[in-house]
Amino acid sequence: MSMIQIGVIGVIGAVLAVQLKGGKTEYGIYVCMAAGVILFSFIVDRLGIFADAVSQIASYISLDAGYLAVMLKMVGITYIAEFSSGICRDAGYQTLAGQIEIFGKLTILTLGLPVLSALLQTVQEFLS
């Protein structure tokens, strides 16, 4: 699916949501969520292509598979957090959206700590 088609789906979903908000607000939220789920399914498809490309690149160079797994987890957490917080923000729950974003950032930070530790050990070995 091309970017133009994805953009059209997003704009149609937003226009329908705005039109339905005039009558009943919850219908607008449902339409927006449905468009978001459709778009998220296409995002997951592209993430699969990305994961295949990264694993192919990893086969060419000697990298620890654990680092690639951490990177893919971080990308997945980022997309899920953004998607979830966007839905909450559209529904009018900005505080909940902010908390989801903070939790996502802290999760990514936690995943990155072993990588940072390995980097610092490598730097220490070079300096000694």
Side-chain angles (χ1 to χ4, degrees):
M1 179 140 307
S2 74
M3 187 60 216
I4 293 173
Q5 292 168 327
I6 296 297
V8 168
I9 290 171
V11 169
I12 288 172
V15 169
L16 284 173
V18 168
Q19 289 295 324
L20 292 174
K21 272 190 176 181
K24 288 201 168 195
T25 308
E26 62 269 8
Y27 292 146
I29 293 170
Y30 296 147
V31 167
C32 194
M33 285 177 55
V37 168
I38 292 169
L39 294 176
F40 190 72
S41 68
F42 292 118
I43 290 170
V44 169
D45 182 47
R46 294 289 168 112
L47 282 176
I49 295 169
F50 174 74
D52 292 339
V54 168
S55 63
Q56 185 178 11
I57 290 170
S59 69
Y60 296 138
I61 55 177
S62 62
L63 278 178
D64 187 10
Y67 294 134
L68 293 175
V70 168
M71 184 181 75
L72 290 176
K73 285 178 186 178
M74 287 179 176
V75 170
I77 289 168
T78 302
Y79 279 113
I80 290 170
E82 283 294 316
F83 180 74
S84 303
S85 69
I87 288 175
C88 291
R89 215 176 290 299
D90 288 343
Y93 297 103
Q94 284 80 12
T95 304
L96 188 59
Q99 291 172 345
I100 290 171
E101 289 173 354
I102 290 171
F103 183 79
K105 290 173 185 175
L106 288 174
T107 304
I108 290 171
L109 178 67
T110 304
L111 279 174
L113 286 177
V115 177
L116 178 64
S117 175
L119 177 67
L120 291 175
Q121 286 175 350
T122 304
V123 168
Q124 184 180 20
E125 289 173 6
F126 281 132
L127 294 177
S128 3

